[in-house]
Amino acid sequence: GVDQWNFVMHPVYAAKACDPEGTYVRKWIPSLARLPLEFIHAPWEAPHHIRAKCRLRLGQRTGDYPERIVTDLDARLDHSVRKVVELRSKSNLGSLFMLPDGNDALPLPETGKLARAITRVDYKVMSNVAITKQTPAMAWDARRRHTNDEGGFAAVMNDVARTRTAGIVPTMRVA
């Protein structure tokens, strides 16, 4: 869809990266405060005897902390990607709003021009499974950053020049 981020944040892996010692969770979710660090971001993975020792009951009605709503994140992510790709490929509207490079195009009212929207690679290549995923082993790797003339700002500027010659107005993501 429109202006999709080209990354996916896994809720547990992202929490472990942002709160590696569990300080935030212990402060704001007191029912999890007694859990050992290895279970603080995924209390459903704690064995029953550890949850009992920490006086933690899982469950929506009787528990201190709700059960997980989504139990197979990878399957749900793949399902979501398939549904978006299905909509883009089978819908007449989907093809009207896709550029030849797979990015989404937004018609600008009154101008007749198209704005190019950043689109997730999963959708651009019409994949049936998620390509963009976060794994526990992922860490920031400076080598993945574009530092030569073909990447970074130079790549953005070259892209703008190419899209202008095609009558497409480039867009910037606003956070």
Side-chain angles (χ1 to χ4, degrees):
V2 176
D3 204 24
Q4 295 289 326
W5 290 2
N6 282 313
F7 66 90
V8 173
M9 291 185 71
H10 186 287
V12 175
Y13 305 152
K16 288 179 178 181
C18 295
D19 184 25
E21 300 302 317
T23 307
Y24 183 89
V25 172
R26 291 181 204 290
K27 177 177 181 178
W28 295 105
I29 310 174
S31 59
L32 302 182
R34 292 185 205 94
L35 281 173
L37 180 58
E38 61 265 32
F39 302 113
I40 194 79
H41 298 293
W44 54 88
E45 292 180 357
H48 181 72
H49 72 278
I50 290 179
R51 290 195 315 257
K53 180 180 176 183
C54 296
R55 297 189 299 273
L56 173 65
R57 293 172 297 150
L58 299 179
Q60 191 67 22
R61 293 177 187 235
T62 60
D64 305 305
Y65 190 80
E67 290 281 357
R68 292 169 49 185
I69 295 171
V70 177
T71 56
D72 189 342
L73 290 171
D74 289 335
R76 299 304 346 154
L77 177 59
D78 287 344
H79 175 77
S80 173
V81 167
R82 277 193 303 277
K83 288 298 186 182
V84 171
V85 167
E86 180 181 314
L87 179 67
R88 287 170 58 95
S89 63
K90 293 184 179 176
S91 163
N92 289 335
L93 289 176
S95 61
L96 289 174
F97 297 104
M98 282 190 338
L99 298 172
D101 67 358
N103 281 303
D104 289 337
L106 304 173
L108 300 175
E110 302 173 15
T111 67
K113 293 185 177 184
L114 296 173
R116 179 181 180 270
I118 297 169
T119 305
R120 273 183 48 180
V121 68
D122 312 66
Y123 306 148
K124 286 172 66 170
V125 300
M126 304 297 269
S127 176
N128 283 321
V129 294
I131 296 170
T132 309
K133 293 184 179 185
Q134 182 180 24
T135 66
M138 289 179 114
W140 175 248
D141 184 353
R143 294 173 296 173
R144 295 179 65 191
R145 294 178 63 199
H146 296 290
T147 55
N148 59 27
D149 289 339
E150 298 301 315
F153 189 68
V156 172
M157 295 308 294
N158 289 331
D159 195 39
V160 167
R162 281 192 302 276
T163 56
R164 283 206 175 142
T165 60
I168 301 165
V169 177
T171 60
M172 292 184 69
R173 184 185 340 217
V174 178

